[in-house]
Short mmCIF file of all heavy atoms in Angstrom, two decimals:
data_model
loop_
_atom_site.label_atom_id
_atom_site.label_comp_id
_atom_site.label_asym_id
_atom_site.label_seq_id
_atom_site.Cartn_x
_atom_site.Cartn_y
_atom_site.Cartn_z
N TYR A 229 0.82 -1.20 0.00
CA TYR A 229 0.00 0.00 0.00
C TYR A 229 0.86 1.26 0.00
O TYR A 229 1.94 1.30 0.58
CB TYR A 229 -0.90 0.00 1.24
CG TYR A 229 -1.76 1.23 1.35
CD1 TYR A 229 -2.86 1.39 0.52
CD2 TYR A 229 -1.44 2.25 2.24
CE1 TYR A 229 -3.64 2.53 0.59
CE2 TYR A 229 -2.21 3.40 2.31
CZ TYR A 229 -3.31 3.54 1.49
OH TYR A 229 -4.07 4.67 1.54
N GLY A 230 0.33 2.32 -0.64
CA GLY A 230 0.95 3.63 -0.56
C GLY A 230 2.34 3.66 -1.19
O GLY A 230 2.52 3.35 -2.37
N ALA A 231 3.33 4.01 -0.36
CA ALA A 231 4.71 4.15 -0.85
C ALA A 231 5.27 2.82 -1.34
O ALA A 231 6.23 2.79 -2.10
CB ALA A 231 5.61 4.71 0.26
N MET A 232 4.66 1.70 -0.91
CA MET A 232 5.13 0.37 -1.34
C MET A 232 4.30 -0.17 -2.50
O MET A 232 4.34 -1.35 -2.81
CB MET A 232 5.06 -0.61 -0.16
CG MET A 232 5.99 -0.22 0.99
SD MET A 232 5.77 -1.26 2.44
CE MET A 232 4.18 -0.70 3.05
N GLY A 233 3.53 0.72 -3.14
CA GLY A 233 2.62 0.28 -4.20
C GLY A 233 3.32 -0.31 -5.41
O GLY A 233 2.72 -1.08 -6.14
N ASP A 234 4.59 0.03 -5.62
CA ASP A 234 5.33 -0.50 -6.77
C ASP A 234 6.10 -1.77 -6.44
O ASP A 234 6.92 -2.23 -7.23
CB ASP A 234 6.31 0.56 -7.29
CG ASP A 234 5.58 1.77 -7.86
OD1 ASP A 234 4.48 1.59 -8.42
OD2 ASP A 234 6.11 2.90 -7.72
N SER A 235 5.86 -2.34 -5.26
CA SER A 235 6.59 -3.56 -4.87
C SER A 235 6.27 -4.71 -5.82
O SER A 235 5.13 -4.86 -6.26
CB SER A 235 6.21 -3.98 -3.45
OG SER A 235 6.50 -2.94 -2.53
N PRO A 236 7.27 -5.53 -6.16
CA PRO A 236 7.03 -6.66 -7.05
C PRO A 236 6.12 -7.71 -6.38
O PRO A 236 6.01 -7.75 -5.16
CB PRO A 236 8.43 -7.22 -7.31
CG PRO A 236 9.25 -6.76 -6.16
CD PRO A 236 8.69 -5.45 -5.75
N ARG A 237 5.50 -8.57 -7.19
CA ARG A 237 4.55 -9.55 -6.68
C ARG A 237 5.22 -10.54 -5.72
O ARG A 237 4.59 -10.95 -4.73
CB ARG A 237 3.89 -10.30 -7.85
CG ARG A 237 2.87 -11.36 -7.45
CD ARG A 237 1.78 -10.85 -6.52
NE ARG A 237 0.97 -9.83 -7.11
CZ ARG A 237 -0.16 -10.07 -7.80
NH1 ARG A 237 -0.60 -11.30 -7.95
NH2 ARG A 237 -0.86 -9.07 -8.30
N ASP A 238 6.49 -10.90 -5.97
CA ASP A 238 7.13 -11.87 -5.06
C ASP A 238 7.31 -11.27 -3.66
O ASP A 238 7.23 -11.98 -2.65
CB ASP A 238 8.48 -12.35 -5.63
CG ASP A 238 9.47 -11.21 -5.83
OD1 ASP A 238 9.02 -10.04 -5.91
OD2 ASP A 238 10.68 -11.48 -5.90
N ALA A 239 7.52 -9.94 -3.56
CA ALA A 239 7.62 -9.29 -2.26
C ALA A 239 6.26 -9.31 -1.55
O ALA A 239 6.18 -9.51 -0.33
CB ALA A 239 8.11 -7.85 -2.41
N VAL A 240 5.19 -9.14 -2.33
CA VAL A 240 3.84 -9.20 -1.77
C VAL A 240 3.57 -10.61 -1.23
O VAL A 240 3.01 -10.79 -0.14
CB VAL A 240 2.79 -8.82 -2.83
CG1 VAL A 240 1.37 -9.04 -2.32
CG2 VAL A 240 2.98 -7.36 -3.26
N GLU A 241 3.97 -11.61 -2.00
CA GLU A 241 3.74 -13.00 -1.57
C GLU A 241 4.56 -13.34 -0.33
O GLU A 241 4.10 -14.09 0.53
CB GLU A 241 4.08 -13.95 -2.73
CG GLU A 241 3.10 -13.85 -3.89
CD GLU A 241 3.40 -14.86 -4.99
OE1 GLU A 241 4.35 -15.67 -4.81
OE2 GLU A 241 2.70 -14.83 -6.02
N ARG A 242 5.80 -12.80 -0.23
CA ARG A 242 6.61 -13.05 0.98
C ARG A 242 5.94 -12.45 2.21
O ARG A 242 5.92 -13.05 3.29
CB ARG A 242 8.01 -12.46 0.80
CG ARG A 242 8.93 -13.27 -0.11
CD ARG A 242 10.41 -12.91 0.10
NE ARG A 242 10.67 -11.50 -0.13
CZ ARG A 242 10.94 -10.97 -1.33
NH1 ARG A 242 10.96 -11.76 -2.41
NH2 ARG A 242 11.17 -9.68 -1.47
N ALA A 243 5.34 -11.25 2.05
CA ALA A 243 4.64 -10.61 3.16
C ALA A 243 3.42 -11.44 3.57
O ALA A 243 3.15 -11.63 4.77
CB ALA A 243 4.21 -9.20 2.78
N ALA A 244 2.70 -11.98 2.58
CA ALA A 244 1.53 -12.81 2.87
C ALA A 244 1.93 -14.10 3.57
O ALA A 244 1.24 -14.58 4.48
CB ALA A 244 0.79 -13.13 1.57
N THR A 245 3.09 -14.66 3.17
CA THR A 245 3.59 -15.88 3.82
C THR A 245 3.93 -15.60 5.29
O THR A 245 3.59 -16.40 6.18
CB THR A 245 4.83 -16.40 3.08
OG1 THR A 245 4.50 -16.64 1.70
CG2 THR A 245 5.33 -17.70 3.71
N ALA A 246 4.56 -14.47 5.55
CA ALA A 246 4.93 -14.12 6.92
C ALA A 246 3.71 -13.89 7.80
O ALA A 246 3.75 -14.12 9.02
CB ALA A 246 5.81 -12.86 6.91
N ALA A 247 2.60 -13.47 7.17
CA ALA A 247 1.36 -13.23 7.92
C ALA A 247 0.47 -14.47 7.96
O ALA A 247 -0.66 -14.40 8.44
CB ALA A 247 0.60 -12.07 7.29
N HIS A 248 0.99 -15.61 7.46
CA HIS A 248 0.23 -16.87 7.40
C HIS A 248 -1.07 -16.71 6.60
O HIS A 248 -2.11 -17.26 6.96
CB HIS A 248 -0.09 -17.38 8.81
CG HIS A 248 1.14 -17.58 9.66
ND1 HIS A 248 2.02 -18.64 9.46
CD2 HIS A 248 1.65 -16.84 10.68
CE1 HIS A 248 3.02 -18.54 10.33
NE2 HIS A 248 2.82 -17.46 11.09
N ALA A 249 -1.02 -15.90 5.56
CA ALA A 249 -2.22 -15.63 4.76
C ALA A 249 -2.12 -16.17 3.34
O ALA A 249 -3.08 -16.10 2.58
CB ALA A 249 -2.47 -14.12 4.70
N LEU A 250 -0.95 -16.71 2.98
CA LEU A 250 -0.71 -17.09 1.58
C LEU A 250 -1.66 -18.19 1.12
O LEU A 250 -2.20 -18.14 0.01
CB LEU A 250 0.74 -17.54 1.40
CG LEU A 250 1.16 -17.83 -0.05
CD1 LEU A 250 1.07 -16.58 -0.91
CD2 LEU A 250 2.58 -18.38 -0.09
N ASP A 251 -1.90 -19.19 1.98
CA ASP A 251 -2.72 -20.34 1.56
C ASP A 251 -4.15 -19.93 1.24
O ASP A 251 -4.70 -20.31 0.19
CB ASP A 251 -2.72 -21.41 2.65
CG ASP A 251 -1.34 -22.08 2.79
OD1 ASP A 251 -0.57 -22.03 1.80
OD2 ASP A 251 -1.06 -22.64 3.86
N PHE A 252 -4.77 -19.14 2.12
CA PHE A 252 -6.16 -18.79 1.85
C PHE A 252 -6.28 -17.81 0.69
O PHE A 252 -7.28 -17.81 -0.04
CB PHE A 252 -6.85 -18.27 3.12
CG PHE A 252 -6.88 -16.77 3.28
CD1 PHE A 252 -7.84 -15.99 2.64
CD2 PHE A 252 -5.95 -16.13 4.08
CE1 PHE A 252 -7.87 -14.62 2.80
CE2 PHE A 252 -5.97 -14.76 4.24
CZ PHE A 252 -6.94 -14.00 3.58
N ILE A 253 -5.25 -16.97 0.49
CA ILE A 253 -5.28 -16.03 -0.64
C ILE A 253 -5.21 -16.79 -1.96
O ILE A 253 -5.96 -16.51 -2.90
CB ILE A 253 -4.13 -15.01 -0.54
CG1 ILE A 253 -4.33 -14.08 0.65
CG2 ILE A 253 -4.02 -14.18 -1.82
CD1 ILE A 253 -3.15 -13.17 0.96
N ARG A 254 -4.32 -17.78 -2.02
CA ARG A 254 -4.17 -18.57 -3.26
C ARG A 254 -5.42 -19.41 -3.53
O ARG A 254 -5.70 -19.74 -4.69
CB ARG A 254 -2.95 -19.48 -3.14
CG ARG A 254 -1.64 -18.72 -3.40
CD ARG A 254 -0.45 -19.64 -3.32
NE ARG A 254 0.78 -18.97 -3.76
CZ ARG A 254 1.99 -19.47 -3.58
NH1 ARG A 254 2.16 -20.64 -2.96
NH2 ARG A 254 3.05 -18.81 -4.02
N ALA A 255 -6.19 -19.72 -2.49
CA ALA A 255 -7.39 -20.53 -2.67
C ALA A 255 -8.56 -19.72 -3.24
O ALA A 255 -9.53 -20.29 -3.73
CB ALA A 255 -7.82 -21.15 -1.33
N LEU A 256 -8.45 -18.40 -3.19
CA LEU A 256 -9.51 -17.54 -3.74
C LEU A 256 -9.50 -17.58 -5.27
O LEU A 256 -8.44 -17.77 -5.86
CB LEU A 256 -9.33 -16.09 -3.25
CG LEU A 256 -9.51 -15.87 -1.75
CD1 LEU A 256 -9.06 -14.46 -1.36
CD2 LEU A 256 -10.96 -16.08 -1.34
N PRO A 257 -10.64 -17.41 -5.90
CA PRO A 257 -10.72 -17.52 -7.37
C PRO A 257 -9.77 -16.58 -8.11
O PRO A 257 -9.17 -16.97 -9.11
CB PRO A 257 -12.19 -17.16 -7.67
CG PRO A 257 -12.92 -17.45 -6.40
CD PRO A 257 -11.96 -17.19 -5.29
N GLN A 258 -9.57 -15.37 -7.61
CA GLN A 258 -8.69 -14.41 -8.27
C GLN A 258 -7.39 -14.17 -7.51
O GLN A 258 -6.63 -13.25 -7.85
CB GLN A 258 -9.44 -13.08 -8.46
CG GLN A 258 -10.61 -13.19 -9.44
CD GLN A 258 -11.43 -11.92 -9.46
OE1 GLN A 258 -12.13 -11.61 -8.51
NE2 GLN A 258 -11.34 -11.18 -10.56
N GLY A 259 -7.16 -14.96 -6.48
CA GLY A 259 -5.91 -14.86 -5.73
C GLY A 259 -5.66 -13.47 -5.18
O GLY A 259 -6.55 -12.86 -4.58
N PHE A 260 -4.44 -12.96 -5.42
CA PHE A 260 -4.07 -11.64 -4.90
C PHE A 260 -4.85 -10.51 -5.57
O PHE A 260 -4.86 -9.38 -5.07
CB PHE A 260 -2.56 -11.41 -5.10
CG PHE A 260 -1.70 -12.10 -4.07
CD1 PHE A 260 -1.26 -13.39 -4.28
CD2 PHE A 260 -1.37 -11.45 -2.89
CE1 PHE A 260 -0.48 -14.04 -3.33
CE2 PHE A 260 -0.59 -12.08 -1.95
CZ PHE A 260 -0.14 -13.39 -2.15
N ASP A 261 -5.50 -10.78 -6.70
CA ASP A 261 -6.29 -9.76 -7.39
C ASP A 261 -7.75 -9.74 -6.95
O ASP A 261 -8.58 -9.04 -7.54
CB ASP A 261 -6.22 -9.98 -8.90
CG ASP A 261 -4.81 -9.81 -9.43
OD1 ASP A 261 -4.12 -8.87 -8.98
OD2 ASP A 261 -4.39 -10.61 -10.28
#
């Protein structure tokens, strides 16, 4: 978000993994989108 809006997708996925959110996000029909 905000100043980190240009972060690459792999950085977003690493943040989701650290928050234990990656599995449920990937299970959604549109994933991170």
